[in-house]
Amino acid sequence: MELKEKLVSSFLAFENKGNIDLDSTVHNIRLKAIHNFEKEGFPTKRDEEWKYTSLNPLIKHDFSLFPNAEKSVGFKNIEAYLINDIESYTLIFIDGVFSSFLSETTHDDCDICVLSSALARPKYKMIIDNYFNTIANKNSSLSELNTAFVKEGAFINIPKNTIVPKPIQIINFSTGNEKEVLLQPRNLIVVGENSYVQIIERHQNLSKNTTLTNSVTEIFVHKRAIVDYYKIQNDTNESSLIDSTFVSQKQQSVASVNTFSFGGKITRNNLEFYHEGEHVTSNLNGISILNEKQHVDNHTLVNHKFPNCESHELYKGIYADKSVGVFNGKVIVKQDAQKTNAFQQNNSILIDDGATINSKPQLEIFADDVKCSHGCTIGQLDESALFYMQSRGIPKKEAKALLLYAFGNDVVEKIKIPQLKTLISKLIAKKLNVQLGFEL
């Protein structure tokens, strides 16, 4: 049985598990979503948005849809993937199941807990009805697939005038208890007026078995709120990730999403920002360092609908061996979005002849009083800079590593959590040293 048919036929069994009231709004949303997925199926390279990324190697697997989460996982098994030198709230999921033993949640001043609880409790019904699945892309069959099987993930509700005192870590682990597993976490994040939160998200395979994670996150940023979101993608070569994040911003809000892609078989990042008021600022930053046959596809959208707003986008990539990078950044400036300031830049370095980058910056401007720019550079290391460093006594390998590190450093400098900045710097150094063979 093909994966699409398996998913559609498994939906009824999933519904019969009784985790959602059949009279609820969420049940109706899930029912519509599975019908849409059945109609559209998985995207193919014939779709313009998936021109450079094929899912065929993934959908041929016989994925387990409801993994057995009985395998014991202790703190020692996951310690290396946590940022342990900071105090933080933690939401840990093992094979799609929340681990209360390994997590630290709270309902003091704000709600940092799990989606299954919010879906089941009348206390949160208004939030679910007002926000859930309202900005997730209905034209994406993979987002619809996630919606159809929505059950668990992070639920973060920050009331107005609240500064969350410490970062939130959301980590989804796969144990390899199943030979091939499909995980579909769903996160709902609502940040009230004048509030501030920092969030770190990670997906990690603890085994050599095959995993596919189809994740969807909806973030609502209200007036004058600030959200700093960080994605660490440094998984095994048996792991693939489709990560779709949708951000809605009210007036005078600031939202930043920083994506660090260092490992995984196929990684697809769909990142969409929607402006719902004036004086909004959106920041999109990313760095990819790939080798072997790793594949990362960054698809971004910033939809400017109101005047006096800004968006700043900077993505950098370093590609070695036969790795493949894709960047498709679209900025839309609607007719009423006068005085928009939109900047977009994608810079890539190809280390080896077999590496590939496909870059497509896009601007669609329907307003006349705007300041918009985009740029794209693809090349190799600067030979003159390399020669200069060697002439000063720096060996060639170290000189290359230093130039590559400096190339990505302006993205790293945007990290506002010092301990996370240190971790990312170490991951970059390790990637350059171990995987790419440069000595830093």
Side-chain angles (χ1 to χ4, degrees):
M1 183 185 297
E2 292 187 359
L3 183 58
K4 174 188 170 183
E5 283 69 31
K6 181 178 180 178
L7 287 162
V8 173
S9 62
S10 299
F11 176 74
L12 183 59
F14 176 72
E15 285 277 270
N16 287 338
K17 287 180 178 292
N19 47 62
I20 293 292
D21 183 353
L22 297 183
D23 294 325
S24 69
T25 302
V26 173
H27 166 70
N28 295 328
I29 290 174
R30 293 203 310 195
L31 196 60
K32 184 177 180 180
I34 195 64
H35 288 320
N36 289 341
F37 173 76
E38 183 178 18
K39 178 181 177 181
E40 299 296 331
F42 287 97
T44 69
K45 295 185 75 172
R46 292 190 298 271
D47 300 318
E48 182 64 26
E49 298 299 307
W50 290 82
K51 185 177 181 180
Y52 300 109
T53 300
S54 173
L55 294 180
N56 286 337
L58 301 181
I59 61 179
K60 292 178 181 178
H61 289 279
D62 184 24
F63 286 110
S64 172
L65 308 181
F66 312 115
N68 187 343
E70 293 180 356
K71 189 170 183 178
S72 176
V73 173
F75 180 74
K76 65 180 181 179
N77 303 111
I78 67 170
E79 183 178 7
Y81 306 104
L82 292 166
I83 304 175
N84 294 305
D85 51 353
I86 59 172
E87 289 190 16
S88 67
Y89 299 108
T90 52
L91 296 169
I92 306 298
F93 301 91
I94 309 296
D95 291 331
V97 177
F98 176 65
S99 172
S100 58
F101 174 72
L102 296 171
S103 302
E104 180 185 344
T105 63
T106 185
H107 292 286
D108 295 334
D109 300 325
C110 58
D111 297 302
I112 301 173
C113 57
V114 292
L115 187 61
S116 59
S117 175
L119 293 175
R121 297 176 63 180
K123 173 183 177 181
Y124 299 113
K125 184 179 187 304
M126 182 176 295
I127 296 174
I128 297 298
D129 290 348
N130 288 341
Y131 296 103
F132 178 76
N133 207 49
T134 58
I135 54 173
N137 191 340
K138 309 301 191 301
N139 296 321
S140 167
S141 62
L142 291 169
S143 292
E144 294 282 43
L145 176 62
N146 177 283
T147 300
F149 287 91
V150 65
K151 179 182 178 182
E152 193 59 287
F155 176 76
I156 300 172
N157 179 40
I158 313 298
K160 65 180 181 179
N161 303 320
T162 301
I163 297 177
V164 180
K166 49 190 179 181
I168 304 168
Q169 297 191 66
I170 305 170
I171 309 185
N172 291 271
F173 289 102
S174 173
T175 64
N177 200 37
E178 306 278 354
K179 184 178 179 181
E180 300 171 325
V181 64
L182 170 62
L183 299 174
Q184 302 201 82
R186 181 64 169 252
N187 303 318
L188 178 60
I189 300 165
V190 182
V191 185
E193 295 180 21
N194 305 309
S195 294
Y196 177 55
V197 64
Q198 296 175 318
I199 301 172
I200 304 164
E201 179 187 13
R202 186 167 187 163
H203 303 271
Q204 193 66 47
N205 187 356
L206 299 176
S207 75
K208 294 296 183 181
N209 287 346
T210 300
T211 65
L212 170 59
T213 301
N214 178 33
S215 176
V216 172
T217 300
E218 294 180 288
I219 306 173
F220 298 86
V221 191
H222 286 275
K223 290 189 289 186
R224 296 177 297 279
I226 301 175
V227 174
D228 290 327
Y229 206 101
Y230 303 94
K231 296 175 178 288
I232 304 174
Q233 300 170 348
N234 188 34
D235 217 338
T236 68
N237 285 341
E238 294 76 29
S239 307
S240 295
L241 170 66
I242 300 164
D243 189 312
S244 301
T245 300
F246 307 94
V247 184
S248 172
Q249 292 184 251
K250 297 293 188 181
Q251 56 263 43
Q252 296 179 279
S253 65
V254 179
S256 304
V257 176
N258 306 273
T259 306
F260 306 98
S261 303
F262 304 139
K265 182 177 182 179
I266 295 176
T267 303
R268 165 75 177 220
N269 292 305
N270 302 309
L271 178 58
E272 301 185 5
F273 281 72
Y274 296 93
H275 290 186
E276 303 295 344
E278 294 191 46
H279 300 286
V280 164
T281 300
S282 302
N283 300 308
L284 302 78
N285 305 299
I287 182 168
S288 302
I289 305 179
L290 308 182
N291 66 315
E292 299 180 348
K293 294 183 179 180
Q294 296 169 344
H295 182 113
V296 169
D297 183 344
N298 287 301
H299 258 65
T300 68
L301 167 68
V302 182
N303 194 333
H304 290 266
K305 296 188 286 184
F306 289 81
N308 302 302
C309 294
E310 298 183 12
S311 63
H312 306 276
E313 187 167 1
L314 177 62
Y315 276 77
K316 293 198 169 186
I318 300 171
Y319 305 99
D321 300 328
K322 295 183 179 180
S323 62
V324 177
V326 182
F327 175 78
N328 194 134
K330 182 183 291 186
V331 176
I332 300 174
V333 182
K334 296 295 182 64
Q335 187 172 357
D336 292 335
Q338 304 294 341
K339 304 292 184 181
T340 289
N341 180 9
F343 167 81
Q344 182 188 87
Q345 184 72 32
N346 175 226
N347 305 119
S348 300
I349 292 178
L350 301 178
I351 301 296
D352 296 302
D353 292 340
T356 303
I357 175 65
N358 301 283
S359 185
K360 186 181 178 183
Q362 294 176 264
L363 294 179
E364 297 183 10
I365 303 172
F366 303 97
D368 51 17
D369 186 8
V370 300
K371 183 180 179 181
C372 298
S373 63
H374 65 176
C376 170
T377 63
I378 300 172
Q380 297 178 321
L381 284 173
D382 187 339
E383 291 295 332
S384 60
L386 190 60
F387 175 78
Y388 176 83
M389 295 178 73
Q390 288 182 268
S391 70
R392 294 300 183 270
I394 302 175
K396 189 174 183 179
K397 278 190 174 183
E398 284 87 336
K400 284 186 175 181
L402 288 169
L403 288 174
L404 291 172
Y405 187 88
F407 172 76
N409 194 55
D410 48 355
V411 176
V412 177
E413 285 301 312
K414 298 181 184 297
I415 302 174
K416 297 180 181 179
I417 304 173
Q419 296 87 344
L420 177 60
K421 182 184 290 187
T422 299
L423 172 63
I424 295 299
S425 296
K426 289 181 178 178
L427 289 176
I428 292 175
K430 183 177 180 180
K431 187 78 175 181
L432 293 177
N433 289 346
V434 179
Q435 272 77 31
L436 274 61
F438 301 125
E439 298 180 7
L440 187 64

